[in-house]
């Protein structure tokens, strides 16, 4: 309100006499732009260029030979699998949590919001250690398996027979990644859904829609851009997570190494081309998500324009 | 955008991922949990063993590797990392597995020859070309302005050997444990960064260019010189060093469960074969077999070596005194 009042005042004062506060000297504008661009180049573009330059230092042949390493391919597969499980899990949770928080009031709501932020607050190493303490051989799960007189001896025998591997195996990596990337989608959606309010849902329900229809036809289309952005962030972090995964992985090559861990291993083994080739794949995965995002945005804008024209 | 397809799409994606995740494995698989500097050695040894085992039994065996600081690796095995065999930097770490996880008998060290150490090594100094700080022996390390790179003795096996070698040198030179403690405390004052494993320290010294001298496993020092050229680094052998015996053991609890006890034992026994010993020498370990030792003798400088049993009464005693919580390392390092 206040902003529009100010701008209408400014307009009535005449277009030529813009207020002093919004008229910057050209040198200031150029300096600020140059500083921003320089910063971007130094901290974003240069490292990216360095990764690719190192990866291709010994030629394209060496680059592809390094990529064709079975351990590296396995690491790539594991990274995609982990993200493919962690992101949908957080998608469902994030939408549900944001829905609860934004559309309803209930006791313990602020506690839930705080809990959602917990993975942001704790160090990833701690996130990994939590699972070692829970599922490690010396953790609760291990103690239960080795207990002399356990509760539910049948369950103990069954678990022993099944021989589930949780930490130092894929489930632990997925769990740790899910934990670390927990808040991304929920945090993206909560403010969005709070600003949108409940009016459209109320309207849908008054018109006879059931809960499920309201969700698919009203709520979801309203939040889809926020959701999409949350998924991208969540996915990027899930594929790049190092600390938490490092604690629960056990670093078995060709089995429990994700791409970030694989990069570290190769670097430590003086295989620089391999390390940076793997790093370039990680960077490419990130670029692909960005391109996907732009594509969807473009398609959305086009459809918008088409519907506006008709 | 129509969202009613989403659940089905997600289900299909999950199914595809699950399929991609489950690779068919028909051959025997072993997991060797090892310490940092053995990467290159076991990479070659595993291939040699697979050939040997295939010829002997016509079974395929794939050995998977996990590397890290020795103490950290032992911790992982205790926490449930399913190692069929452990090949760690020192007996203390395998003792910990025997004690805390009861995964192998406490007398594990008697099950293979030479205290279960198929190769030995020692601690040497890696310095920058031309040795600008003039480092010749342990005594030069405590001089002011010398930056020393060594890993953390709490997590790294190599670092514990470093620590004990420095201690024994000082004790012989200065006459008492008290003086030795002061010497080692002074030495650690010169350490700008403690990495968790030997390979991390190598990277710090070699690639990041931090420090004047790197207290290193002999084989790790040779590898750094080989990878980066003798025009960048030099190896300095001190007047006295410790005989490091990195031991190997089958983790019975895991191997029995996985049905790999026999092949795991054969895997470690093959380390003592002429082929295994030759590979150890090739990767700058000191082979225990006299023939292989003679073949590679020329690459190692002669140095007076003492054993941990002579100087410290064995690993469990050394661990209690120096590396357990509140031990001498905690005392000197917390004081720094």
């Amino acid at each position: 309100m206040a902003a529009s009042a100010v701008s209408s005042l400014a307009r009535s004062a005449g277009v030529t006499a813009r207020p002093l506060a919004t008229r910057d000297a050209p040198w200031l504008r150029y300096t600020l732009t140059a500083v921003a661009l320089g910063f971007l180049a130094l901290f974003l573009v240069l490292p990216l260029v360095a990764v690719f330059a190192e990866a291709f230092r010994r030629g394209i042949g060496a680059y592809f030979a390094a990529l064709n390493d079975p351990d590296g391919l396995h690491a790539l597969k594991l990274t995609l699998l982990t993200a493919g499980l962690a992101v949908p899990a957080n998608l469902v949770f994030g939408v549900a949590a944001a829905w609860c928080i934004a559309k309803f009031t209930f006791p313990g709501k602020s506690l839930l919001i705080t809990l959602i932020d917990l993975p942001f607050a704790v160090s990833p190493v701690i996130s990994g250690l939590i699972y070692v303490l829970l599922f490690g051989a010396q953790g609760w799960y291990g103690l239960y398996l080795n207990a002399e007189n356990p509760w539910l001896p049948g369950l103990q025998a069954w678990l022993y027979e099944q021989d589930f591997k949780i930490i130092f195996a894929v489930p632990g990596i997925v769990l740790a990644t899910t934990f670390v990337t927990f808040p991304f989608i929920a945090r993206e959606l909560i403010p969005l859904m709070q600003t949108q309010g409940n009016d459209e849902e109320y309207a849908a329900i008054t018109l006879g829609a059931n809960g499920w229809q309201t969700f698919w036809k009203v709520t979801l289309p309203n939040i889809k851009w926020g959701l999409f952005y949350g998924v991208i962030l969540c996915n990027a972090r899930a594929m790049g997570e190092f600390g938490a995964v490092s604690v629960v992985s056990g670093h078995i090559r060709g089995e429990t190494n994700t791409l970030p861990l694989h990069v570290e291993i190769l670097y430590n083994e003086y295989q620089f081309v391999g390390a940076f080739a793997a790093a370039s794949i990680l960077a490419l995965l990130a670029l692909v998500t960005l391109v996907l995002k732009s594509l969807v945005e473009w398609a959305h804008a086009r459809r918008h324009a088409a519907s506006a024209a008709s | 955008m129509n969202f009613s397809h989403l659940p089905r799409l997600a289900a299909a994606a999950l199914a595809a991922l699950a399929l991609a995740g489950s690779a068919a494995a028909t051959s025997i698989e072993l997991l060797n949990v090892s310490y940092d500097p053995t990467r290159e050695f076991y990479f070659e040894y595993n291939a040699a063993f697979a050939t040997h085992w295939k010829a002997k039994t016509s079974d395929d065996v794939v050995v998977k590797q996990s590397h890290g600081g020795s103490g950290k690796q032992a911790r992982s095995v205790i926490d449930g990392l399913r190692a069929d065999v452990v090949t760690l930097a020192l007996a203390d770490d395998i003792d910990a597995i025997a004690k805390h996880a009861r995964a192998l008998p406490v007398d594990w060290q008697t099950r293979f020859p030479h205290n279960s150490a198929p190769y030995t090594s020692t601690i040497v100094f890696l310095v920058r070309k031309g040795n600008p700080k003039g480092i010749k022996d342990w005594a030069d390390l405590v001089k002011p302005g010398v930056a020393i790179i060594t890993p953390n003795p709490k997590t790294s096996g190599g670092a514990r050997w470093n620590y004990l070698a420095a201690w024994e040198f000082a004790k012989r030179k200065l006459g008492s444990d008290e003086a030795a403690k002061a010497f080692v405390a002074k030495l650690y004052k010169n350490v700008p960064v403690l990495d968790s494993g030997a390979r991390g320290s190598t990277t710090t010294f070699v690639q990041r260019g931090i420090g004047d001298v790197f207290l290193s496993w002999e084989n790790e020092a040779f590898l750094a010189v080989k990878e980066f050229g003798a025009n960048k680094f030099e190896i300095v052998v001190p007047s006295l060093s410790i005989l490091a015996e990195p031991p190997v053991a089958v983790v019975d609890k895991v191997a029995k469960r996985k049905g790999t006890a026999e092949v795991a034992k054969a895997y470690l026994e093959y380390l003592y074969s002429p082929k295994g010993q030759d590979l150890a020498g090739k990767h700058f370990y000191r082979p225990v077999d006299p023939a292989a030792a003679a073949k590679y003798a020329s690459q190692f400088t002669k140095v007076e070596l003492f054993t941990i049993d002579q100087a410290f009464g064995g690993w469990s005693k050394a661990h209690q005194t120096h590396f357990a919580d509140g031990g001498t390392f905690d005392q000197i390092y917390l004081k720094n």
Side-chain angles (χ1 to χ4, degrees):
Chain A
M1 271 303 174
S4 67
V6 166
S7 67
S8 66
L9 275 179
R11 225 176 293 136
S12 66
V15 189
T16 42
R18 283 160 61 204
L20 205 64
T22 62
R23 214 171 35 200
D24 298 326
W27 67 265
L28 184 63
R29 246 180 300 153
Y30 290 129
T31 320
L32 279 178
T33 316
V35 166
L37 284 180
F39 190 83
L40 266 180
L42 203 63
F43 286 88
L44 282 174
V45 180
L46 200 65
L48 206 60
V49 170
V51 165
F52 283 94
E54 278 293 323
F56 284 105
R57 207 173 43 160
R58 291 198 191 153
I60 279 195
Y63 178 80
F64 283 105
L67 286 186
N68 204 10
D69 160 51
D71 288 350
L73 289 177
H74 187 278
L76 174 64
K77 225 156 73 177
L78 181 61
T79 303
L80 293 177
L81 173 76
T82 307
L85 292 173
V87 173
N90 282 331
L91 179 78
V92 172
F93 166 80
V95 172
W99 167 278
C100 283
I101 287 166
K103 311 267 170 179
F104 303 98
T105 39
F106 53 92
K109 186 165 144 176
S110 54
L111 183 72
L112 182 61
I113 298 178
T114 315
L115 276 180
I116 289 172
D117 279 340
L118 188 72
F120 273 164
V122 298
S123 152
V125 176
I126 307 297
S127 314
L129 274 179
I130 295 168
Y131 290 100
V132 175
L133 291 177
L134 281 178
F135 298 116
Q138 310 300 312
W140 291 1
Y141 181 69
L143 288 182
Y144 177 68
L145 277 189
N146 294 321
E148 301 274 335
N149 295 307
W151 313 331
L152 308 172
L155 177 66
Q156 189 203 33
W158 183 77
L159 284 174
Y160 189 81
E161 204 50 52
Q162 296 302 310
D163 197 21
F164 290 120
K165 284 196 249 179
I166 299 176
I167 56 162
F168 306 124
V170 177
I173 294 172
V174 175
L175 278 176
T177 308
T178 310
F179 181 85
V180 171
T181 55
F182 215 62
F184 282 94
I185 293 174
R187 268 282 145 208
E188 203 59 48
L189 291 183
I190 290 168
L192 182 66
M193 288 170 102
Q194 273 171 339
T195 14
Q196 282 174 353
N198 291 348
D199 299 352
E200 292 190 26
E201 275 88 354
Y202 287 150
I205 289 168
T206 342
L207 292 173
N210 63 26
W212 201 234
Q213 283 171 326
T214 313
F215 177 72
W216 284 112
K217 305 226 153 131
V218 178
T219 310
L220 201 54
N222 274 339
I223 60 167
K224 68 182 173 196
W225 296 109
L227 185 62
F228 200 75
Y229 192 62
V231 166
I232 286 170
L233 283 184
C234 181
N235 182 57
R237 180 65 190 270
M239 289 193 300
E241 177 54 27
F242 180 85
V245 170
S246 173
V247 176
V248 296
S249 126
H251 304 275
I252 309 167
R253 296 161 180 244
E255 202 170 311
T256 62
N257 268 329
T258 59
L259 262 187
L261 300 184
H262 190 64
V263 171
E264 191 209 19
I265 285 188
L266 291 177
Y267 185 75
N268 277 346
E269 285 173 6
Y270 311 119
Q271 299 181 37
F272 303 121
V273 170
F276 286 103
S280 74
I281 292 296
L282 263 179
L284 280 179
L285 284 177
L287 290 177
V288 165
T289 21
L290 287 182
V291 169
L292 269 181
K293 173 180 163 267
S294 315
L295 268 182
V296 175
E297 271 172 356
W298 175 73
H300 173 69
R302 216 172 60 147
R303 195 171 302 168
H304 220 75
S307 67
S310 67
Chain B
M1 201 182 279
N2 183 358
F3 282 95
S4 53
H5 294 310
L6 265 184
R8 257 171 292 158
L9 269 179
L14 279 185
L17 283 165
L19 276 178
S22 64
T26 47
S27 58
I28 313 170
E29 208 177 276
L30 288 183
L31 173 59
N32 176 2
V33 170
S34 193
Y35 62 112
D36 257 336
T38 56
R39 297 161 192 254
E40 290 75 15
F41 166 59
Y42 278 112
F43 182 76
E44 207 172 340
Y45 175 78
N46 289 345
F49 177 72
T51 317
H52 162 77
W53 194 247
K54 177 100 180 154
K56 198 176 154 195
T57 64
S58 78
D59 286 338
D60 284 311
V61 55
V62 178
V63 186
K64 297 231 157 128
Q65 288 292 140
S66 168
H67 294 277
S70 186
K72 184 178 136 222
Q73 293 291 77
R75 183 72 241 181
S76 294
V77 174
I78 292 169
D79 280 331
L81 180 58
R82 300 193 187 188
D84 301 88
V85 298
V86 283
T87 54
L88 294 179
L90 41 84
D92 194 27
D93 287 329
I94 303 184
D95 281 340
I97 298 171
K99 200 172 116 198
H100 295 295
R102 275 176 255 128
L104 67 169
V106 284
D107 67 343
W108 59 271
Q109 213 164 3
T110 59
R111 296 194 294 182
F112 291 100
H114 300 280
N115 281 333
S116 291
Y119 39 77
T120 66
S121 190
T122 186
I123 300 299
V124 299
F125 305 160
L126 191 67
V127 297
R128 304 200 182 276
K129 183 71 193 170
N131 198 356
K133 297 271 166 126
I135 291 154
K136 299 245 155 42
D137 207 349
W138 294 99
D140 300 319
L141 298 180
V142 297
K143 286 182 184 158
V146 175
I148 306 167
I149 300 299
T150 174
N152 185 345
K154 291 276 183 184
T155 52
S156 157
R160 274 178 252 177
W161 294 111
N162 294 346
Y163 185 96
L164 294 177
W167 188 285
E168 178 65 10
F169 169 84
K171 194 180 164 188
R172 289 193 189 184
K173 195 106 177 170
L174 307 170
S176 75
D177 274 321
E178 287 309 304
K181 188 172 162 188
F183 178 88
V184 175
K186 220 169 152 194
L187 191 153
Y188 274 86
K189 274 214 172 72
N190 282 347
V191 177
V193 46
L194 285 178
D195 288 288
S196 73
R199 192 50 68 89
S201 282
T202 313
T203 315
T204 298
F205 183 75
V206 170
Q207 267 139 251
R208 291 170 59 201
I210 297 176
D212 303 307
V213 52
F214 169 37
L215 309 189
S216 168
W217 288 100
E218 185 177 44
N219 59 301
E220 189 76 358
F222 273 110
L223 181 70
V225 170
K226 192 175 112 185
E227 287 289 330
F228 292 94
N231 54 352
K232 287 200 178 130
F233 301 102
E234 281 176 26
I235 293 173
V236 172
V237 180
S239 65
L240 172 79
S241 200
I242 193 162
L243 177 72
E245 296 174 299
V248 300
V250 175
V251 184
D252 294 0
K253 203 166 153 190
V254 177
K256 265 195 201 120
R257 185 91 207 245
K258 284 166 68 174
T260 51
E262 186 202 358
V263 56
K265 185 161 175 269
Y267 176 74
L268 295 184
E269 271 166 355
Y270 194 61
L271 283 169
Y272 292 88
S273 72
K275 177 74 186 165
Q277 290 288 302
D278 188 64
L279 283 177
K282 187 179 157 199
H283 288 276
F284 311 111
Y285 282 94
R286 299 183 175 218
V288 291
D289 173 60
K295 180 176 166 194
Y296 289 101
S298 59
Q299 73 186 8
F300 303 114
T301 320
K302 277 228 181 317
V303 48
E304 188 191 345
L305 296 173
F306 64 89
T307 71
I308 179 134
D309 292 342
Q310 292 163 3
F312 295 93
W315 261 114
S316 63
K317 220 171 143 208
H319 177 86
Q320 272 312 316
T321 321
H322 298 289
F323 306 116
D325 283 339
T328 62
F329 176 71
D330 277 349
Q331 293 163 24
I332 63 161
Y333 203 70
L334 293 179
K335 250 198 282 174
N336 274 356

